Amino acid sequence: MSITPCVLGFAQRLLASAPLLLPCSPAISATELARSRCKLHRLPAAAMEDGAAAREAERWEGYVDWRNRPAVRGRHGGMLAASFVLVVEVLENLAFLANASNLVTYLMNFMHYSPSQSATTVTNFMGTAFLLALLGGFLSDAFFTTYAIYLISAFVEFLHGANVLQGLVVLTIQARTPSLMPPGCAKVAGAACEPVSGPKKAMLFAGLYVTALGIGGIKGSLPSHGAEQFDEHAPRGRKGRSTFFNYFVFCLSVGALIAVTFAVWVEDNKGWQWGFGISTIAILLSIPVFVAGSRLYRNKVPTGSPLTTIAKVVLAAALARRGGAQSASNGAVIDRAPSPTGSTDMKEYCKPGDICGVADGAAEVATEPSQELVFLNRAVQRQPRCGALSCTVQEVEDVKIVLMVLPIFFSTIMLNSCLAQLSTFSVEQAATMDTRVGGLKVPPASLPVFPVTFIILLAPVYDHIIIPFARRATGTEMGITHLQRIGTGLVLSIVAMAVAAVVEVKRKNVASNAGMLDAAAPLPITFFWIAFQYLFLGSADLFTLAGLLEFFFSEAPARMRSLATSLSWASLALGYYLSSVLVTVVNSATGRGGRRAWLQGGNLNHYHLERFYWVMCVLSTLNYLFFLFWAIRYKYRNAGVIKG
């Protein structure tokens, strides 16, 4: 009788194990016993396969932990992990705005810059910092995780180069060291102070722009890192992500509130070295706070340059042979939805030849892209002349999404221009008004406390009252869609500009009636009138910024999310630049023919600021119509759903 290798193997082990393995039963043959042991031998292998499958199901596909090991469900991600990001945002924005909010005063009083030079320097610094968020987002998508980019950026902001102090440390040292400051100056009539120059100026700008580089990296990575902690395939995860973005803006405002109150007071009363010191300590503390959540984070694996994909698809569509053979089609087309609920499913689009699941459980091969931006479909419908430009349906759809969100991005620049412009002129308005609150005199530079306070109060109300009510009223998961939220912010910005114009008319009427048009004394009108325009602006900022962050993150392809989310900060930067352009254009247009320009002169009471506000109101209205045109036509991602 032939015996299989399995029987031989077990027969050799029977002598040692028989007393433990043989049951107290009637005798069985050696062959039957060996066969039973073969079955017993195979059972652990099957169990091991089931265990491996279970472990595979527990992993977050495409995510790793801080040690580059596969991220596991139940251990990585969730609101607890995102909470560390929220605390870090308080410290990061405190460090940023503690300097930016009062930097004009520092440059004028200590670096002896003129008002125009100081304003230009601050505008360029803040605009550059926000634009560099695009670099941080690009690096997070292409080469590094958001976890790594944040740590690198925080260290760059704190230190730059081996043993060479830069960033906030440079500014702190320079503010504390007299030899690194420009020569002292007694401000007398007709005497001009010598501004900072040479190596001292180089040190100042090195510190500012290394700080801007670090800020850009943080802004480009931190929101995406927090949003990546939520399971986008489950309603609970999508709702948690929405809550995260609301509270991200809330924490951003908390940091700003501390900056424009405590930090500004320290700078004005204790010295600028202490103000820069607060910023340095804040960004330094944010690093261990961020690292403390390392064991909880799940980090998206970078998938290469998104710009390469965009360039490849555009070139493939442009160079595709117009008369070439069209690819075979079975009529399976990627669908899009008018609601964002389906879009948050975030399954990958089907590639030609792949099998994709549809809603009814059937399988179908998707070979046709969607019907939006059909000129890009040539990249997959016709063979390109260069094999290196071969594209998949998924890549074409990814590029389409990027192009379709750009009009939404452009429509928010005007809102940010209103925010930047009002934060300048509103402070000057308040400086002419009665700023007393009881026995306390509030400095006009602290006026930004109004919008950030409104955001801090409104964010919890929005998340815990307005959104639940909207969900019950509409019967939808989101309650209010991303574009509806952005549109609400744009409408509020129009109202804010109209209110600002009306308040300015009232302020000038008070000055005229009191005969104080040329007086330096405060006007008999409380500065709380300015709070009304800040109320609407703060509300607009909450709706639009949080809505933009979530819209760009949820709509963007997985490989481009950090870069797309950074567009929110780029919009803010372009808004700052546009505000300066608008002032220049208005003055140039209204100052012709020997007439006095609307926004020139040494006395705000002789400005036509109310007319400028009405111009901004009209431009904001036209901008909203532009937004409405594209928002109505926009279809959200309905990833993974194939329409045959």
Side-chain angles (χ1 to χ4, degrees):
M1 181 181 66
S2 63
I3 302 177
T4 64
C6 181
V7 173
L8 289 174
F10 280 120
Q12 293 174 355
R13 294 193 293 270
L14 273 178
L15 291 176
S17 59
L20 297 175
L21 296 175
L22 292 177
C24 298
S25 59
I28 57 176
S29 67
T31 301
E32 291 173 343
L33 177 62
R35 287 175 180 172
S36 67
R37 291 300 304 272
C38 280
K39 294 178 181 179
L40 290 174
H41 180 69
R42 287 194 296 269
L43 284 175
M48 289 176 63
E49 291 177 1
D50 292 340
R55 286 193 299 272
E56 186 68 26
E58 291 176 353
R59 294 178 178 176
W60 292 112
E61 184 179 356
Y63 291 88
V64 294
D65 67 3
W66 68 294
R67 291 184 177 178
N68 209 34
R69 298 173 301 189
V72 179
R73 297 178 184 271
R75 186 186 305 171
H76 300 106
M79 184 58 78
L80 181 59
S83 298
F84 287 91
V85 175
L86 296 178
V87 176
V88 168
E89 178 56 26
V90 174
L91 296 170
E92 182 273 329
N93 209 43
L94 166 61
F96 174 40
L97 291 182
N99 295 325
S101 61
N102 213 11
L103 189 57
V104 170
T105 306
Y106 175 72
L107 294 174
M108 289 174 58
N109 295 343
F110 294 92
M111 296 295 165
H112 306 324
Y113 275 14
S114 68
S116 60
Q117 288 176 318
S118 300
T120 301
T121 300
V122 173
T123 301
N124 291 341
F125 164 69
M126 297 187 70
T128 301
F130 287 124
L131 278 180
L132 284 172
L134 293 174
L135 175 62
F138 169 77
L139 294 176
S140 298
D141 286 329
F143 306 112
F144 305 97
T145 62
T146 52
Y147 177 86
I149 288 295
Y150 173 80
L151 290 177
I152 294 171
S153 301
F155 275 112
V156 165
E157 188 173 349
F158 181 71
L159 298 173
H160 176 62
N163 300 320
V164 180
L165 294 177
Q166 292 284 1
L168 288 172
V169 176
V170 161
L171 298 177
T172 304
I173 293 174
Q174 186 172 36
R176 189 175 177 83
T177 308
S179 62
L180 299 178
M181 304 284 285
C185 173
K187 293 188 177 181
V188 296
C193 297
E194 181 184 349
V196 66
S197 60
K200 299 173 185 178
K201 181 178 180 179
M203 186 175 187
L204 170 66
F205 278 86
L208 283 175
Y209 283 94
V210 169
T211 301
L213 179 62
I215 291 168
I218 292 173
K219 298 291 186 187
S221 60
L222 197 59
S224 298
H225 181 74
E228 286 168 0
Q229 306 309 313
F230 298 94
D231 182 8
E232 58 203 358
H233 299 283
R236 182 179 179 182
R238 295 191 289 268
K239 292 177 181 178
R241 185 174 65 190
S242 180
T243 295
F244 165 78
F245 280 118
N246 292 333
Y247 276 94
F248 184 86
V249 178
F250 172 87
C251 292
L252 183 147
S253 300
V254 170
L257 180 63
I258 300 172
V260 300
T261 53
F262 173 70
V264 169
W265 181 87
V266 169
E267 289 166 351
D268 288 344
N269 294 275
K270 300 297 181 181
W272 269 88
Q273 68 272 21
W274 294 105
F276 285 128
I278 290 173
S279 298
T280 305
I281 293 171
I283 198 65
L284 182 61
L285 286 177
S286 72
I287 297 174
V289 171
F290 183 80
V291 172
S294 296
R295 294 182 180 274
L296 300 175
Y297 299 145
R298 62 173 196 161
N299 306 301
K300 182 174 66 69
V301 178
T303 55
S305 171
L307 299 181
T308 302
T309 302
I310 295 173
K312 183 176 73 170
V313 170
V314 172
L315 284 175
L319 299 177
R321 293 193 297 270
R322 295 182 179 274
Q326 188 167 327
S327 61
S329 172
N330 64 355
V333 185
I334 289 178
D335 191 22
R336 296 186 186 276
S339 167
T341 305
S343 72
T344 50
D345 214 14
M346 292 304 170
K347 297 174 184 176
E348 293 292 331
Y349 287 112
C350 293
K351 301 177 183 179
D354 288 350
I355 303 297
C356 295
V358 292
D360 59 1
E364 193 169 356
V365 180
T367 58
E368 287 298 309
S370 64
Q371 297 307 304
E372 288 80 18
L373 302 178
V374 292
F375 68 92
L376 291 177
N377 293 351
R378 294 201 303 267
V380 292
Q381 290 174 340
R382 294 181 174 90
Q383 294 294 329
R385 297 173 181 175
C386 176
L389 296 180
S390 177
C391 302
T392 64
V393 173
Q394 176 181 338
E395 290 172 333
V396 171
E397 291 302 305
D398 288 350
V399 175
K400 284 185 178 182
I401 292 169
V402 173
L403 295 181
M404 286 191 296
V405 301
L406 285 180
I408 307 300
F409 161 73
F410 289 126
S411 67
T412 62
I413 295 175
M414 188 63 205
L415 166 65
N416 289 312
S417 180
C418 294
L419 290 169
Q421 204 60 61
L422 280 180
S423 65
T424 302
F425 282 122
S426 293
V427 172
E428 296 185 17
Q429 286 176 284
T432 69
M433 303 166 78
D434 185 1
T435 60
R436 291 175 298 178
V437 180
L440 177 66
K441 187 174 182 180
V442 179
S446 295
L447 269 181
V449 73
F450 284 119
V452 297
T453 301
F454 288 137
I455 291 175
I456 291 172
L457 295 176
L458 286 172
V461 172
Y462 178 84
D463 194 73
H464 299 292
I465 298 178
I466 297 177
I467 285 297
F469 174 79
R471 285 170 177 160
R472 289 192 297 268
T474 61
T476 61
E477 179 183 300
M478 297 297 297
I480 300 175
T481 68
H482 306 139
L483 292 180
Q484 287 172 345
R485 186 171 184 178
I486 296 170
T488 301
L490 296 180
V491 170
L492 288 172
S493 71
I494 297 172
V495 176
M497 300 311 302
V499 169
V502 172
V503 169
E504 175 61 7
V505 170
K506 180 176 179 60
R507 188 194 68 83
K508 290 179 67 174
N509 286 339
V510 169
S512 178
N513 294 336
M516 301 179 65
L517 286 175
D518 297 308
L523 301 176
I525 178 174
T526 177
F527 78 120
F528 278 110
W529 282 96
I530 304 295
F532 287 107
Q533 60 211 55
Y534 274 122
L535 169 63
F536 289 104
L537 275 175
S539 303
D541 198 21
L542 171 64
F543 277 92
T544 304
L545 180 57
L548 268 181
L549 288 169
E550 186 174 4
F551 173 72
F552 287 142
F553 183 90
S554 61
E555 287 298 291
R559 63 176 59 85
M560 303 179 187
R561 281 181 176 170
S562 296
L563 180 62
T565 306
S566 300
L567 289 174
S568 304
W569 308 115
S571 172
L572 194 58
L574 295 178
Y576 274 101
Y577 294 141
L578 178 61
S579 68
S580 299
V581 172
L582 286 174
V583 171
T584 302
V585 170
V586 166
N587 280 337
S588 176
T590 59
R592 294 177 179 176
R595 293 174 298 179
R596 181 172 184 155
W598 287 359
L599 305 174
Q600 281 185 352
N603 191 328
L604 191 67
N605 294 332
H606 296 291
Y607 279 32
H608 290 293
L609 187 58
E610 72 285 354
R611 298 179 186 176
F612 178 69
Y613 283 160
W614 284 121
V615 170
M616 297 284 283
C617 184
V618 171
L619 292 176
S620 297
T621 302
L622 295 175
N623 176 72
Y624 176 71
L625 295 176
F626 171 80
F627 165 81
L628 207 59
F629 174 84
W630 292 104
I632 291 174
R633 288 160 176 76
Y634 187 85
K635 291 184 179 180
Y636 292 86
R637 290 185 62 179
N638 200 14
V641 178
I642 308 302
K643 191 174 184 178

